[in-house]
Amino acid sequence: TSDLSWSSQLFLLRWVSWTLAFLGLMISISATARMVKLKFPEMSKDYSKLSMSWPLIFPGLIPEFARLGNDSLVVLILSLVWFLLIKRIESSQRWYWYVALGVILGLGGLTKITFLPITIAVVIWLTWLEARGNLVDRFYASARSLLVLGLFFCFSAKRYFSNLTEHGSVTGLVELSSTDVP
């Protein structure tokens, strides 16, 4: 885009940003519709009507995600996590599903610190969901959860370690606290 004017470049970047956010919204809406249809079929038509009213429910979506930043990417990554979690509720998944979840959460961890608590919650939920069987089932549940957590940290551990060494905090958000760090 170097041959485009400054305003054209900015418009293109804003359009890409908004498209990522809109794609994330559509993935989330369709994944939720799938779950509603599966678990609450009597509410399926009501959900369809409600999901079509997203501009009224989220009036700030267009201006918020048209600005430049990584929030639109966070929405897209979080919607992919949501989609995968709904697939897990539908049925047990194979190992590659856990790899995909760990990679997507890891990419989220590279994008924003918000994915650290999200990943911890997802790992706890997966462990709880799958560890209700016998000892062998619990072992595999723990192994799968550790796979997700391990992949997350493979992507984002360098960033968190860097935050710890530079700011004295894993999140790097010490500057927002009231305590001073030497």
Side-chain angles (χ1 to χ4, degrees):
T1 63
S2 62
D3 58 337
L4 296 176
S5 69
W6 176 253
S7 60
S8 296
Q9 289 179 18
L10 202 55
F11 174 78
L12 182 63
L13 286 172
R14 287 174 184 245
W15 182 80
V16 167
S17 178
W18 190 83
T19 301
L20 290 175
F22 185 75
L23 182 62
L25 180 67
M26 292 298 107
I27 290 170
S28 296
I29 286 173
S30 62
T32 305
R34 185 176 177 156
M35 180 51 62
V36 168
K37 188 175 183 180
L38 181 71
K39 296 290 185 180
F40 309 103
E42 69 280 358
M43 295 176 61
S44 189
K45 285 186 180 184
D46 292 335
Y47 176 77
S48 295
K49 291 176 188 174
L50 181 65
S51 66
M52 293 280 92
S53 64
W54 68 266
L56 299 173
I57 297 170
F58 303 111
L61 184 76
I62 293 172
E64 172 63 26
F65 292 113
R67 69 177 183 79
L68 299 179
N70 63 357
D71 291 345
S72 59
L73 188 57
V74 168
V75 168
L76 178 61
I77 293 171
L78 196 53
S79 70
L80 292 172
V81 170
W82 180 246
F83 172 77
L84 286 175
L85 293 179
I86 286 178
K87 293 283 288 179
R88 176 56 192 91
I89 291 172
E90 289 176 356
S91 64
S92 292
Q93 298 295 318
R94 299 195 184 272
W95 283 92
Y96 59 83
W97 179 90
Y98 295 91
V99 170
L101 182 62
V103 167
I104 291 172
L105 285 168
L107 291 173
L110 288 175
T111 307
K112 213 162 201 150
I113 194 68
T114 309
F115 279 89
L116 180 61
I118 289 171
T119 301
I120 291 169
V122 165
V123 167
I124 290 170
W125 179 76
L126 283 174
T127 304
W128 172 81
L129 184 67
E130 297 180 354
R132 294 184 273 170
N134 58 28
L135 187 60
V136 174
D137 291 339
R138 286 187 219 153
F139 171 76
Y140 283 119
S142 297
R144 291 173 183 147
S145 296
L146 285 174
L147 175 64
V148 170
L149 192 61
L151 286 169
F152 171 78
F153 281 117
C154 281
F155 279 87
S156 57
K158 182 178 177 184
R159 177 181 181 195
Y160 297 137
F161 183 71
S162 171
N163 285 339
L164 185 63
T165 57
E166 292 175 18
H167 303 290
S169 167
V170 173
T171 63
L173 298 175
V174 171
E175 61 276 2
L176 298 178
S177 70
S178 61
T179 60
D180 293 328
V181 175

